[in-house]
Amino acid sequence: MAADLFQLDGRKAVVVGGGSGLGRASAVALAEYGARVVVADVDAAGAEETAESIRQLGREAIRRELDVRESAQIRELAEAEPDADVLVVTPGINVRKRLVDTTDEEFDRVVDVNLKGTYRLVREFGARMAERGRGSIITFASFRAEVVEPGQGIYAATKAGVVQLSRALAAELGPRGVRVNAIAPGPFETPLTEQIKSDEAWYGAYARKTALQRWAKAEEIAGAVVYLASDASSYVTGSLQLVEGGWTAIDGRFDPGV
């Protein structure tokens, strides 16, 4: 049955950044579809809260503390979870400043988490999945990989880099049974967007730009994650899955009265 394609029973999913926001929503959704979940996050308390919420569903979950800026920690996690069938990489930070106002330190900080952190994770887990001949890697880019606004330059550059890393890895590991896809969320209600939500004009403009005329809740990422993790997407790799309410599909400048 087609519905069975989405089931993840017997599989292990490692969700990095699972302590809050889209990572937490992803971890819970994967558990609901049968996966055993490892919740990894630099925020140990947040990771444990997510893991406990999964256990309350009657599903199996453990938490691990992880800083994606530390290669040794990532290697240790990959060695501790060599049978991971799914890797979800969600961590991201932003510095909302015009490029001419940014510093080298700010650039390095965003790149280290968003781009290099993703690289470290897909390198370690991808190699092990390739050895086993199967696996699904899901990276989190952003609609900012496709369209930008003033003050989002460094973030946008890193997320575009995540897309290309994912495509390259898909090409390299496809022959060995590993699929790699990126998700590009749009305006979601998460801790990362608190600065925008605190500005009524900014917040409202984002809602109006989408075709659906609203922000998304974190739980609305679940369908894309489960789909890409499961056999329902068995012939999907190297893709960018937009989950942005139609933001990039429409012009948005004017609604003609026709």
Side-chain angles (χ1 to χ4, degrees):
M1 294 180 61
D4 294 336
L5 294 174
F6 293 89
Q7 294 304 311
L8 297 167
D9 301 273
R11 302 186 194 184
K12 179 184 287 185
V14 176
V15 180
V16 181
S20 64
L22 300 184
R24 174 171 291 177
S26 299
V28 172
L30 292 168
E32 289 177 334
Y33 276 81
R36 294 172 291 137
V37 180
V38 177
V39 184
D41 203 297
V42 69
D43 177 7
E48 177 57 31
E49 185 176 334
T50 300
E52 180 57 28
S53 69
I54 291 172
R55 296 184 200 112
Q56 290 177 2
L57 297 172
R59 302 293 188 177
E60 183 179 343
I62 63 171
R63 66 97 170 163
R64 294 190 180 276
E65 189 170 353
L66 178 72
D67 187 338
V68 299
R69 298 170 297 180
E70 299 294 335
S71 293
Q73 289 187 24
I74 290 174
R75 190 173 303 113
E76 290 170 6
L77 177 63
E79 290 172 351
E81 308 296 345
D83 56 341
D85 301 288
V86 178
L87 172 68
V88 182
V89 183
T90 73
I93 61 172
N94 201 348
V95 174
R96 294 185 176 91
K97 286 184 176 180
R98 307 256 170 170
L99 282 170
V100 296
D101 297 325
T102 58
T103 66
D104 285 0
E105 186 277 333
E106 290 169 333
F107 181 92
D108 291 344
R109 179 155 49 92
V110 177
V111 169
D112 201 19
V113 172
N114 297 2
L115 184 56
K116 199 169 182 181
T118 298
Y119 158 72
R120 295 177 181 115
L121 283 158
V122 302
R123 179 186 63 190
E124 296 296 334
F125 280 88
R128 288 161 176 80
M129 287 179 176
E131 289 175 359
R132 297 172 61 216
R134 66 180 186 276
S136 175
I137 295 174
I138 304 167
T139 62
F140 269 56
S142 167
F143 70 139
R144 291 297 173 215
E146 300 280 296
V147 292
V148 300
E149 72 178 3
Q152 301 261 28
I154 299 174
Y155 180 80
T158 62
K159 291 304 186 177
V162 167
V163 173
Q164 294 301 81
L165 273 181
S166 303
R167 287 171 172 159
L169 195 65
E172 294 168 359
L173 299 188
R176 302 182 69 180
V178 181
R179 298 185 297 108
V180 187
N181 294 282
I183 293 177
F188 272 75
E189 300 266 8
T190 72
L192 188 63
T193 55
E194 285 294 338
Q195 182 182 2
I196 299 173
K197 290 187 292 183
S198 66
D199 184 319
E200 185 176 348
W202 201 356
Y203 180 82
Y206 267 48
R208 290 188 297 274
K209 177 62 175 70
T210 70
L212 299 178
Q213 299 284 287
R214 64 177 179 84
W215 284 61
K217 300 296 184 183
E219 293 74 19
E220 292 182 278
I221 205 69
V225 173
V226 171
Y227 168 67
L228 292 174
S230 72
D231 290 341
S233 61
S234 60
Y235 201 59
V236 178
T237 195
S239 75
L240 176 63
Q241 175 64 64
L242 290 163
V243 188
E244 34 71 280
W247 183 296
T248 60
I250 58 177
D251 187 302
R253 288 176 296 178
F254 180 66
D255 187 5
V258 296

